[in-house]
Amino acid sequence: MTLYKQTALLLSLFLLIILTTVLVLNFQSVNRGVEERLYEDAKNTATSLSLSLGGANGDLSMMSTMINANFDSGNYRKIALVDVEKNLLYERVIESDIVIVPEWFIELVTLKAPIAFANVSAGWSQVGILQVQSDSTYAYKQLYSILMDLLISFGVIALLSLAALNLLLHAILRPLKEVQKQASAITKNEFIIQENIPYTKELADVVLGMNNMVSKVKAMFDKGNEELKAHKELEYTDENTQLKNRKYLIDRLPAYLKVDSPYEKGVNMIVAFGGIIEANEKIGHQQVDKLLIAVAEVFRKSTKDINDSIVARINGTEFSIFLPGYLGSDAIDLAKNIQKSCFNAIDSAGLDQHETLTYIGIYEYNHKDTISELFSRSDNALAQAKFNREHIHLEKADTAVEVMGKEAWKLIIKNAIEKNRFIFVSWGVIDTKNKKLVHNVLSIHLVLDKNSSYGYAQFMAPAIQSGLSCDIYKKIVTMLFNDSLTLLSASTYSLRLPQEYLEKQETYHSISELLRANAAMLPFKLIIELPDRLVRQDSKNIREYIELFRRYSIDIGIFEFIGESEDYQYLQDLRPSYIKAESSYFLTQSDQSISSLRLITDSVGISLIAVGVSDIETLEMLKEKGIYIVQGEVTETLELD
C-alpha cells in the first residue's frame, strides 16, 4: 500500500471517529432535552389543570369534563385523578401508536416521558392527586427528524473534509511522487532534477538528497562524455592536418573486412611524399606543415562525395584513402586527379615537383582480407609505384577460387528463402568474472539437405552480392517471432540487424506487425542489436525503431562500436543494455580512454562486451583492461558456475 493510501486511510478513520463521536454526543444532548421538555409540558399541564379542578369543589363529573377537555386538546398519554388514599377517581389513557418513525429508531432510542404530579384542593381540604404524562409519539417524530438532519449535515461535512484531506495530502506528498519518478527514472538511466523544493523540512531534505544524487550521477556521465570526446580527439585525429590517424583506420576496418560487410570489395590508396627532408631544409618545417595541410584538404575534397570514405594520416609522409565499394579502374582516375592537385600544392609551396615527389599505391581488396593483409599489400603497391614512371600502381587481391558462381549461389539462396531452409544456431556471451552466461547470440545456417549445410560466413557474402541479404533477414526475423516456441529454449537471445535491412522502408512496417502479433508470446528475453554507426545518426527512422522496441519491452544492444562520435549523449538517450566492440578496439585504447568510456557506461548501466575473442591470451589482456564480458571462440573453453 502506498504512503498516500496509508496516510489517507488513517486520517480518514480519525476524522470519521471524531465526527461520529460529535454526532452521538449531539444526539444524546437533544434526547435529554426532549425528555426534559416532555416533563416540563406535563408539569405545567398538571399545575394549571389542578387549579381548575379545585374550583369544582369535589364534583367528580365536572372534574371529569375538565380532564377530558385538556386530554383531547393536548398530546398526553395519560391523565389520572386519584384520591388521597390513591384510589383511582378518573383516568384517560391512550396507547401510543408510533408509526411515523422507523421501527429500528424506536428500538435504538429509548425515550422516557416522566409523570408530573399536582395536588387538587377545594379550599383547605385536599380532593386528590393529579397525574399527567405527555405522549412521546410526537417526541419520537421530532427526534427522528433531528437525527436525519444531523446525519445529513455530518455526512456533508465528512465528504467535504475527506475531499479537503485528499487535496491536502496530494499537495503535501507531491514532492514524494516526484522523488518516486526520479528513482524510477534512474533505473531507466534518465536524470530528472526537481526544481520545486517543498516547504516541509523532512520532504525538502529528501528532495534535496535525491537531486544531489541525480546530479552526481549526471555529472559522472557528463564528465565521462567530455573526457572521452577529448581522448578521441587526441587518439583518432592527426594534430597537424586534422585528418583521422592510423589508429582510427585500424579500428574502422573490421566493419568492412567481414563476410556481411555491405561492400564486397573496395580500394585502399596510399599516398606518400618523397623528398620531405630536403623540403624541410629548403623552405622550413612550418612551410612543409602548411603543404601537408594543403594536400590533406585535397584529399577531403576529392573524397567528399564517396560514401563511407576514410582519409587518414598513417605517418609523417604517408596518407591512406580508404574507399569501400570503389573499383580499381575508377581509383586510377581518382589517383591521377589527386596527384595533379598535389603537384599544384607543391608548386605553390615553392618546391619542385620533381624533387618533392608524390607516390600513389592502390590496392583493390576484398572482404576476405585481414587488416594485416590489407596494409602489407597496400605497402607493396606503394613500393611498386615508386618504380613506376607515373608513380601510380594498382594491385588487386588474388581472386579466391569459388566452388560455385554467383548465379548458382543466387539460385540456392532464393530457394532457401522460398522453402524455409534456414535454421537458428547460437553461441554464448560469457561474463568471465562471474562465470555466468550473459545471453545467447543468434545466427543462421542454410540447410541444403540432411547431410549438407552452409554457415553464415559462407552464404552471406554471395547473398549481399546478389542483393538478397535483406530478404534473408526478413525471413529470419519472421522465423524468430512465428516459430520461437519450437526453435529456441534459452532465456535471453540477441539478434543483430544490419543497417541496410533497417533502412529499407518496408522493414519497419514488417517488424511492427510481427511484434504486434507475437511479442507477447515470446518465451525468451529478446535483445535487438543495432549498428553504432546507424544509431549515432539520430534519424527519425532509428528513433521510430527504438520507440517500437521499447513499446514491446525489447532491449537494445549496440555493435561495431569504435567511439568515433563527437558526443556520447546518444548513449544516455538510447540506454542500450550493452556495447559490443572488437577485442582489438579495447586492447588498443589507452587506459584514460577506457576509464572515460567506463565512466559513461557505468553511470547509465551499460555493459561492455568484447567480440572476436579467440584465445586465452587475448582474454587475459582484456581482463587487464577491465573488460570481462566476451564473445568468440574462447567461450567454448570456459567453464561456467
Side-chain angles (χ1 to χ4, degrees):
M1 186 181 292
T2 63
L3 176 63
Y4 166 77
K5 290 182 178 179
Q6 294 181 47
T7 307
L9 180 61
L10 288 175
L11 292 178
S12 299
L13 288 174
F14 181 69
L15 177 63
L16 291 175
I17 289 171
I18 291 177
L19 289 175
T20 302
T21 302
V22 172
L23 175 65
V24 171
L25 292 175
N26 270 273
F27 184 74
Q28 288 177 346
S29 176
V30 171
N31 192 2
R32 288 193 296 271
V34 170
E35 287 182 348
E36 291 173 0
R37 180 65 181 272
L38 289 174
Y39 177 73
E40 290 296 327
D41 289 345
K43 182 68 176 176
N44 291 334
T45 300
T47 301
S48 60
L49 183 57
S50 65
L51 293 174
S52 299
L53 294 177
N57 296 319
D59 186 346
L60 185 58
S61 61
M62 186 178 290
M63 288 190 294
S64 300
T65 301
M66 292 180 181
I67 290 173
N68 289 336
N70 274 272
F71 190 86
D72 292 336
S73 62
N75 294 311
Y76 305 102
R77 181 177 182 275
K78 181 178 76 170
I79 298 179
L81 180 64
V82 297
D83 60 16
V84 292
E85 295 180 356
K86 297 185 179 180
N87 294 317
L88 182 64
L89 298 176
Y90 186 77
E91 182 182 43
R92 283 289 304 274
V93 178
I94 186 173
E95 290 295 331
S96 297
D97 185 15
I98 309 173
V99 295
I100 56 177
V101 296
E103 185 177 349
W104 63 265
F105 182 75
I106 299 172
E107 294 177 356
L108 180 67
V109 178
T110 301
L111 187 62
K112 297 178 181 179
I115 300 174
F117 299 92
N119 291 323
V120 179
S121 301
W124 293 102
S125 63
Q126 184 175 355
V127 177
I129 300 172
L130 182 66
Q131 300 175 356
V132 180
Q133 184 181 23
S134 297
D135 187 5
S136 61
T137 301
Y138 179 76
Y140 270 109
K141 179 181 178 182
Q142 189 178 25
L143 274 178
Y144 180 73
S145 176
I146 292 171
L147 178 61
M148 290 300 101
D149 290 341
L150 285 173
L151 286 175
I152 292 172
S153 300
F154 277 83
V156 172
I157 293 172
L159 289 176
L160 293 176
S161 300
L162 290 175
L165 177 63
N166 178 61
L167 294 174
L168 182 63
L169 284 177
H170 272 296
I172 294 175
L173 298 178
R174 183 180 297 125
L176 287 183
K177 285 186 174 292
E178 296 301 319
V179 169
Q180 185 180 13
K181 289 180 181 178
Q182 280 182 299
S184 178
I186 290 175
T187 63
K188 300 176 182 177
N189 304 319
E190 297 175 350
F191 308 125
I192 299 175
I193 300 295
Q194 282 201 59
E195 301 295 339
N196 298 322
I197 307 301
Y199 293 105
T200 307
K201 184 180 184 305
E202 291 79 4
L203 294 180
D205 290 342
V206 172
V207 170
L208 291 173
M210 283 295 296
N211 281 350
N212 186 40
M213 183 183 72
V214 171
S215 297
K216 287 182 177 180
V217 175
K218 189 175 187 305
M220 285 176 57
F221 179 90
D222 293 340
K223 181 181 178 182
N225 188 15
E226 293 302 319
E227 287 185 1
L228 190 57
K229 286 192 292 184
H231 289 314
K232 287 307 168 191
E233 186 69 22
L234 294 174
E235 290 195 3
Y236 277 166
T237 305
D238 177 66
E239 184 178 358
N240 187 29
T241 63
Q242 297 302 303
L243 294 175
K244 299 299 183 182
N245 57 20
R246 180 185 179 89
K247 187 178 186 309
Y248 175 83
L249 179 62
I250 292 174
D251 286 343
R252 280 291 304 273
L253 285 177
Y256 301 102
L257 302 180
K258 61 177 186 175
V259 67
D260 56 352
S261 167
Y263 304 102
E264 179 191 5
K265 61 175 69 175
V267 164
N268 186 42
M269 185 183 301
I270 304 294
V271 182
F273 294 93
I276 294 298
I277 295 176
E278 292 78 3
N280 283 326
E281 295 175 353
K282 185 174 182 180
I283 62 175
H285 288 285
Q286 291 185 347
Q287 294 302 316
V288 171
D289 286 343
K290 289 182 179 180
L291 170 62
L292 295 177
I293 292 172
V295 299
E297 187 61 28
V298 168
F299 300 151
R300 289 193 189 95
K301 290 181 178 179
S302 301
T303 59
K304 66 178 181 179
D305 295 327
I306 302 175
N307 292 334
D308 300 323
S309 59
I310 302 172
V311 181
R313 187 177 184 180
I314 300 176
N315 55 44
T317 59
E318 293 183 0
F319 298 82
S320 173
I321 302 176
F322 185 75
L323 307 171
Y326 216 66
L327 298 178
S329 56
D330 296 330
I332 292 289
D333 295 332
L334 178 63
K336 289 179 180 179
N337 291 331
I338 289 175
Q339 189 182 56
K340 183 178 179 181
S341 298
C342 289
F343 287 159
N344 294 333
I346 291 169
D347 291 338
S348 298
L351 297 172
D352 187 345
Q353 59 182 266
H354 297 292
E355 295 176 356
T356 306
L357 304 172
T358 304
Y359 306 105
I360 301 178
I362 305 168
Y363 173 58
E364 186 179 76
Y365 72 88
N366 66 43
H367 66 273
K368 296 180 181 179
D369 283 328
T370 63
I371 294 177
S372 60
E373 288 172 342
L374 178 82
F375 278 115
S376 63
R377 292 174 182 176
S378 297
D379 288 339
N380 184 64
L382 179 63
Q384 295 296 322
K386 292 179 180 181
F387 297 100
N388 190 301
R389 185 173 61 86
E390 294 183 347
H391 293 167
I392 296 175
H393 178 76
L394 170 65
E395 183 172 318
K396 295 186 178 184
D398 296 331
T399 303
V401 178
E402 297 185 357
V403 177
M404 292 179 292
K406 292 183 179 179
E407 289 302 318
W409 268 117
K410 186 174 182 179
L411 184 62
I412 289 175
I413 294 170
K414 277 189 172 182
N415 185 59
I417 294 172
E418 293 172 0
K419 297 184 178 180
N420 297 322
R421 293 190 178 275
F422 296 103
I423 61 170
F424 282 112
V425 293
S426 65
W427 59 87
V429 174
I430 305 299
D431 183 344
T432 58
K433 188 174 185 178
N434 299 312
K435 296 183 178 180
K436 299 290 185 183
L437 175 68
V438 178
H439 65 265
N440 287 277
V441 179
L442 285 176
S443 184
I444 51 172
H445 282 180
L446 189 158
V447 179
L448 286 181
D449 51 47
K450 293 181 180 179
N451 301 317
S452 60
S453 64
Y454 293 105
Y456 181 85
Q458 293 174 287
F459 69 80
M460 186 50 70
I464 293 173
Q465 297 169 27
S466 304
L468 296 173
S469 61
C470 291
D471 294 327
I472 291 176
Y473 273 100
K474 181 178 180 180
K475 173 60 66 175
I476 64 175
V477 169
T478 302
M479 286 170 53
L480 178 66
F481 289 106
N482 289 341
D483 304 325
S484 58
L485 289 171
T486 58
L487 294 174
L488 306 170
S489 59
S491 59
T492 307
Y493 287 95
S494 69
L495 179 65
R496 177 179 294 189
L497 298 181
Q499 183 168 342
E500 58 270 19
Y501 172 64
L502 292 169
E503 288 180 336
K504 289 181 71 70
Q505 289 185 340
E506 63 269 21
T507 297
Y508 177 84
H509 177 73
S510 174
I511 293 179
S512 178
E513 288 299 312
L514 285 170
L515 288 174
R516 184 184 59 80
N518 302 288
M521 297 181 290
L522 280 180
F524 52 82
K525 179 67 177 177
L526 179 61
I527 305 172
I528 296 294
E529 295 183 4
L530 304 174
D532 182 60
R533 181 181 171 200
L534 178 63
V535 171
R536 284 188 286 105
Q537 295 176 3
D538 191 30
S539 64
K540 178 183 177 183
N541 187 33
I542 195 63
R543 288 195 295 271
E544 288 176 346
Y545 275 115
I546 292 169
E547 182 181 345
L548 175 65
F549 294 142
R550 284 178 178 168
R551 190 186 313 151
Y552 292 99
S553 301
I554 294 175
D555 287 347
I556 304 296
I558 291 178
F559 69 93
E560 293 182 348
F561 179 83
I562 64 166
E564 63 174 311
S565 176
E566 296 180 355
D567 191 343
Y568 298 89
Q569 183 65 38
Y570 76 98
L571 293 178
Q572 180 186 335
D573 298 335
L574 177 60
R575 304 190 303 278
S577 297
Y578 54 78
I579 290 171
K580 287 184 177 180
E582 291 289 331
S583 58
S584 59
Y585 165 77
F586 290 118
L587 294 177
T588 57
Q589 299 300 298
S590 66
D591 291 340
Q592 282 185 320
S593 182
I594 290 291
S595 176
S596 299
L597 180 60
R598 274 262 181 230
L599 200 58
I600 290 176
T601 56
D602 289 349
S603 66
V604 289
I606 301 173
S607 301
L608 297 177
I609 301 177
V611 302
V613 185
S614 57
D615 52 58
I616 296 296
E617 182 181 357
T618 303
L619 178 61
E620 294 302 321
M621 288 190 292
L622 287 168
K623 288 181 179 179
E624 292 177 4
K625 291 281 189 178
I627 308 299
Y628 296 99
I629 306 177
V630 298
Q631 173 183 322
E633 295 178 6
V634 74
T635 58
E636 298 177 3
T637 65
L638 301 177
E639 294 184 1
L640 304 180
D641 291 338

